[in-house]
Amino acid sequence: MYFQISALAVLLVLSFYSDIKKSTIPNKYVVPGAILGLLYHSITAGVSGVIFSAQGLAVGFGLLFLLYLFGALGAGDVKLFAAIGAITGTAYVITLTIYSVLFACLIGILLILVKGELTRRLKNLYFSLINLLLVRNRKILQDYKQYGSFRFPFMYAVMPAAMISCLYPISF
């Protein structure tokens, strides 16, 4: 367990720093993290360890890939969660994903409130949805995503979520 927490902490700190400074999470962090997780679990638990780690990797990748398809985050975040899954397993990476999305929602709401844009954003969303329903033009959604949204590093949400996930795991 000590190895998993240490590897996770190093991976998260490096990814956080890189995401804040360069808006990217490089493969030089996530690939070794995933390989390290697979190797560790294969050495400590054999074939069942490889299965445990591979399932975590696949679930972490799959969950975040869905968010990536909707344009909610970048490819580096997807690969990061795959590596986290390889290190910690399925249950933790699912818990981390849930908490990260919740923290991202809170951060987004706070940013909207601080910038005083709540009314404008709700009005734009309302008219975009009405337009979409009446005109049935999907380009409206793409325009809203491109011009109506704002971005912040997902690692702002992942870091507190990682701590909460360790303290309050969700049991499946």
Side-chain angles (χ1 to χ4, degrees):
M1 187 64 143
Y2 177 74
F3 169 80
Q4 290 172 298
I5 292 171
S6 299
L8 177 64
V10 168
L11 181 61
L12 287 173
V13 167
L14 290 172
S15 298
F16 180 81
Y17 181 78
S18 180
D19 201 18
I20 302 308
K21 289 292 184 186
K22 302 175 187 170
S23 295
T24 184
I25 300 172
N27 290 340
K28 69 182 180 181
Y29 301 148
V30 295
V31 171
I35 292 169
L36 204 58
L38 287 163
L39 280 174
Y40 170 77
H41 290 291
S42 70
I43 291 168
T44 59
V47 174
S48 64
V50 172
I51 292 169
F52 171 85
S53 187
Q55 283 176 333
L57 186 145
V59 169
F61 181 88
L63 289 172
L64 273 283
F65 187 69
L66 290 173
L67 294 173
Y68 171 77
L69 289 177
F70 288 105
L73 44 81
D77 298 309
V78 176
K79 294 179 279 186
L80 173 65
F81 272 66
I84 290 170
I87 293 168
T88 62
T90 301
Y92 182 83
V93 82
I94 291 172
T95 301
L96 178 60
T97 301
I98 292 168
Y99 284 134
S100 295
V101 168
L102 290 173
F103 272 102
C105 288
L106 286 173
I107 291 168
I109 290 168
L110 286 173
L111 286 173
I112 288 170
L113 291 173
V114 166
K115 290 183 175 190
E117 296 182 0
L118 182 63
T119 306
R120 182 184 66 80
R121 287 184 178 273
L122 286 175
K123 191 178 357 174
N124 286 347
L125 178 62
Y126 171 77
F127 286 118
S128 294
L129 289 175
I130 293 297
N131 220 348
L132 176 67
L133 292 172
L134 295 176
V135 181
R136 298 189 189 274
N137 181 359
R138 292 187 182 187
K139 186 178 180 314
I140 293 167
L141 283 181
Q142 291 171 337
D143 289 345
Y144 182 78
K145 248 194 313 192
Q146 184 175 0
Y147 302 111
S149 64
F150 60 93
R151 294 193 165 283
F152 59 88
F154 189 53
M155 288 303 295
Y156 285 159
V158 174
M159 288 301 274
M163 291 180 241
I164 297 293
S165 296
C166 289
L167 296 173
Y168 303 102
I170 300 170
S171 54
F172 298 95

